[in-house]
Amino acid sequence: MTVPLSILDLAIIGKGQTAAESFAGSVAMAQLAERLGYRRIWYAEHHNMSSIASSATSVLIAHVAAHTESIRLGAGGIMLPNHSPLTIAEQFGTLETLYPGRIDLGLGRAPGSDQNTMRALRRDPTAADTFPQDVLELQGYLSGPSRIQGVEATPGRGTNVPLYILGSSLFGARLAAQLGLPYAFASHFAPAALQDAVALYRRDFKPSEQLAEPHVIAGVNVVAAESAQEAQQMHLDVKRARISTFFGNGRTFTDDEADLILDSAQGQHVAQMMKYSAIGTPETVREYLDEFARHADADELIVAHQSTGTESRLRSVELTAQAVGLVRA
């Protein structure tokens, strides 16, 4: 690989699993990724989703950090309109103080939930409108000076936790360029604007204290297995699980029911969300990732290893590392 490889751990709670088992899987994945040479692992803030265990993102990061030694860990991302900037500065300032030089803070403006959950979070419907100002306020708490006179983050002040702007549209690209921050595009589930957003970001980038040159991280799904047939079956299982998540309203569909929905217009939209996916044997995955890095004009790839089972996800992590030459001596 000509670019570094990282992991987006979706902290999946598989069928018949508990959240505790999901957390154990996340620790195992981070330990394996650390041994293999992946650059970083991020966890995303989602709420009211029975299949994702990373809702308390900073707590999960702390747990994984305590069971690893060197790999960078962070949020990909924290949905900042759900929180006050001071609270997030204190949380990630604490993480950086406990695990210096290992913490990243990716920021998004989506709710990470549905409308009812937004109300349960006490989120103001207009909170996303102040996202740029909130990013700057947060940056002030971590890197100084504070933008609110007399208010400092403790821990947080002077920790200089690196910020990343997450996005799936031109808005995030424009903001990241203006602030001189790294930009992570969510092409693993929102592929449409990838190339336009990256081009805008690179064209308009303004250097900052944190970053002298633009840095693009592009998301991509991976299902690596010993055989192409096994990988395709795993990919189908993931799509079926997503159908239950998006359309089940708490119910899990049978395989036949899920396949019928996948064949519908709504189902095809769900499949299209996973447009950028490397599926197959290690060689096939390596070729796809090389081409995708060029297509996305990316400086780094962040991989979501897609499988409904912990062991198959870990095997995908291992096979991909071997294929692209990450394995350390």
Side-chain angles (χ1 to χ4, degrees):
M1 284 290 294
T2 56
V3 300
L5 210 59
S6 298
I7 293 176
L8 175 64
D9 181 359
L10 299 174
I12 296 295
I13 304 174
K15 187 176 180 180
Q17 268 194 330
T18 65
E21 289 169 327
S22 172
F23 295 147
S26 289
V27 169
M29 180 180 290
Q31 291 172 338
L32 178 62
E34 185 172 77
R35 292 197 302 270
L36 295 175
Y38 284 85
R39 171 171 283 191
R40 69 183 93 239
I41 301 182
W42 282 357
Y43 308 90
E45 177 187 351
H46 291 282
H47 299 282
N48 194 32
M49 297 187 71
S50 61
S51 60
I52 296 180
S54 53
S55 54
T57 315
S58 59
V59 179
L60 178 56
I61 293 169
H63 176 65
V64 176
H67 290 82
T68 51
E69 296 181 358
S70 59
I71 193 167
R72 295 195 68 88
L73 301 166
I78 290 293
M79 300 299 106
L80 191 54
N82 291 343
H83 313 273
S84 74
L86 177 59
T87 297
I88 297 304
E90 290 168 342
Q91 290 178 7
F92 280 79
T94 298
L95 287 169
E96 176 62 24
T97 302
L98 290 169
Y99 307 103
R102 295 183 58 195
I103 303 300
D104 300 327
L105 177 49
L107 301 168
R109 64 179 183 131
S113 58
D114 54 52
Q115 294 296 319
N116 286 337
T117 308
M118 283 177 61
R119 287 194 288 272
L121 287 167
R122 302 298 190 268
R123 171 173 169 157
D124 186 322
T126 64
D129 296 344
T130 61
F131 180 67
Q133 293 80 11
D134 289 345
V135 171
L136 289 172
E137 182 182 334
L138 173 58
Q139 188 177 49
Y141 291 134
L142 295 171
S143 302
S146 173
R147 290 175 174 261
I148 307 296
Q149 186 174 1
V151 179
E152 303 286 353
T154 306
R157 181 182 181 183
T159 55
N160 299 307
V161 177
L163 302 184
Y164 298 73
I165 299 297
L166 277 58
S168 58
S169 69
L170 301 187
F171 176 90
R174 191 172 291 111
L175 179 63
Q178 180 183 349
L179 300 181
L181 295 176
Y183 180 51
F185 192 90
S187 35
H188 63 292
F189 76 89
L194 170 63
Q195 289 182 300
D196 289 342
V198 171
L200 184 154
Y201 168 71
R202 290 195 180 280
R203 185 193 71 208
D204 294 348
F205 179 84
K206 298 178 181 177
S208 67
E209 286 190 21
Q210 179 178 325
L211 194 65
E213 301 288 340
H215 186 84
V216 172
I217 303 175
V220 58
N221 302 294
V222 166
V223 184
E226 306 287 352
S227 70
Q229 182 178 5
E230 182 185 358
Q232 289 296 337
Q233 182 61 52
M234 288 163 59
H235 182 54
L236 177 58
D237 291 341
V238 168
K239 289 191 292 184
R240 286 168 172 167
R242 287 197 173 197
I243 289 297
S244 291
T245 298
F246 287 123
F247 303 114
N249 293 319
R251 176 193 168 197
T252 300
F253 293 116
T254 67
D255 289 349
D256 288 342
E257 289 170 334
D259 290 344
L260 283 173
I261 298 172
L262 278 169
D263 287 338
S264 70
Q266 288 178 309
Q268 288 299 305
H269 174 69
V270 171
Q272 181 63 19
M273 292 170 65
M274 298 181 71
K275 173 183 176 180
Y276 292 124
S277 296
I279 305 162
T281 62
E283 182 180 357
T284 299
V285 167
R286 176 183 55 77
E287 291 173 354
Y288 186 99
L289 293 180
D290 278 336
E291 177 55 34
F292 177 73
R294 289 189 291 270
H295 173 79
D297 194 13
D299 301 295
E300 180 179 342
L301 299 184
I302 190 161
V303 170
H305 288 278
Q306 297 283 358
S307 171
T308 57
T310 300
E311 291 305 317
S312 53
R313 273 197 302 279
L314 294 177
R315 186 58 176 152
S316 182
V317 168
E318 187 174 26
L319 290 174
T320 301
Q322 292 171 356
V324 304
L326 285 189
V327 179
R328 292 173 173 169

